[in-house]
C-alpha cells in the first residue's frame, strides 16, 4: 500500500470515528450520508494538498506496517473516545 493512501485511510478512520461518536448515530438518512461524503471529500483534498508536499507519494509500505498503522489508528480513536466519555 502506498504511504499516501495509508495516511488517508488512517485519517478517515480517526475522523469518522469521532464523527460517529459525537453524532451518536442519531442522524437519519440523508444527513448521515451527506456528513460521511463531506468528511471523505475534506480528507481526500487535504491529503492531496498538504501531505503530498511532505510525504513521497510513491513510497510503498509493507503489509505488516499497513495493518499495524490501521490497528493503531483504531486503538487511538477508541482510547480518545473512552477518555472523553469519562
Amino acid at each position: 500500500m502506498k504511504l499516501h493512501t495509508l495516511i488517508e485511510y488512517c485519517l478517515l478512520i480517526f475522523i469518522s470515528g469521532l464523527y460517529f461518536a459525537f453524532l451518536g448515530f442519531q442522524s437519519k438518512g440523508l444527513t448521515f450520508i451527506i456528513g460521511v461524503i463531506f468528511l471523505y471529500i475534506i480528507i481526500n483534498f487535504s491529503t492531496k494538498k498538504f501531505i503530498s508536499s511532505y510525504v513521497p507519494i510513491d513510497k510503498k509500505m509493507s503489509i505488516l506496517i499497513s495493518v499495524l498503522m490501521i490497528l493503531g489508528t483504531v486503538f487511538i480513536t477508541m482510547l480518545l473516545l473512552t477518555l472523553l466519555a469519562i
Side-chain angles (χ1 to χ4, degrees):
M1 180 180 292
K2 292 182 182 178
L3 181 60
H4 185 269
T5 306
L6 183 61
I7 291 171
E8 186 175 332
Y9 286 166
C10 288
L11 281 173
L12 187 63
I13 290 169
F14 182 71
I15 295 175
S16 295
L18 295 177
Y19 173 71
F20 296 149
F22 287 119
L23 188 65
F25 292 101
Q26 298 296 324
S27 171
K28 304 250 190 280
L30 190 60
T31 56
F32 180 76
I33 293 170
I34 289 173
V36 172
I37 291 171
F38 186 67
L39 282 176
Y40 178 75
I41 290 171
I42 288 175
I43 291 170
N44 194 0
F45 284 140
S46 66
T47 54
K48 285 184 181 178
K49 183 168 178 84
F50 298 116
I51 301 213
S52 63
S53 61
Y54 298 111
V55 176
I57 294 174
D58 293 332
K59 185 175 181 182
K60 293 277 190 171
M61 302 299 289
S62 70
I63 190 72
L64 179 64
I65 298 295
S66 300
V67 169
L68 288 176
M69 283 185 72
I70 290 174
L71 286 175
T73 303
V74 171
F75 177 74
I76 289 170
T77 304
M78 295 308 295
L79 180 67
L80 180 68
L81 291 175
T82 304
L83 291 175
L84 288 174
I86 291 178

